[in-house]
Amino acid sequence: IRRASTSIPINIAEGCGRRTDSEFAYFLDVAAGSASEVEEELLLSLDLQFINKQSFQDLDKEVKEIKAMLGSLIDKLKK
């Protein structure tokens, strides 16, 4: 979870350093993929009882918000 979650801002930062919007959008896509990884790892953590249901719900909500923000930014860049 730590590796995947730190990958999100790292890819956003790397994309910011690129020259074109399409390159930036690519790295945002990678960041969104990492967010999807975090979602799955949270589900596994819940299934394996590493976290309780309330913690899962709180964290899952935050990841979904991050994915929505990334998706919105990607859409704006691709227009």
Side-chain angles (χ1 to χ4, degrees):
I1 290 173
R2 285 182 185 156
R3 183 195 56 77
S5 62
T6 57
S7 178
I8 297 167
I10 289 169
N11 277 291
I12 294 169
E14 186 170 352
C16 283
R18 299 301 170 141
R19 294 179 183 236
T20 66
D21 285 350
S22 63
E23 287 178 298
F24 186 24
Y26 168 80
F27 282 94
L28 293 174
D29 279 331
V30 174
S34 294
S36 293
E37 238 183 285
V38 172
E39 278 183 312
E40 181 58 30
E41 290 164 349
L42 288 172
L43 280 168
L44 287 170
S45 295
L46 178 64
D47 288 347
L48 297 171
Q49 299 178 347
F50 294 149
I51 59 174
N52 63 39
K53 188 172 184 173
Q54 186 60 53
S55 294
F56 168 78
Q57 289 171 338
D58 293 344
L59 294 168
D60 189 58
K61 180 181 176 189
E62 289 184 34
V63 173
K64 285 182 178 6
E65 288 175 18
I66 291 167
K67 287 179 69 174
M69 288 187 283
L70 287 168
S72 178
L73 183 53
I74 291 166
D75 289 345
K76 289 180 191 237
L77 288 171
K78 289 185 176 181
K79 287 184 180 181

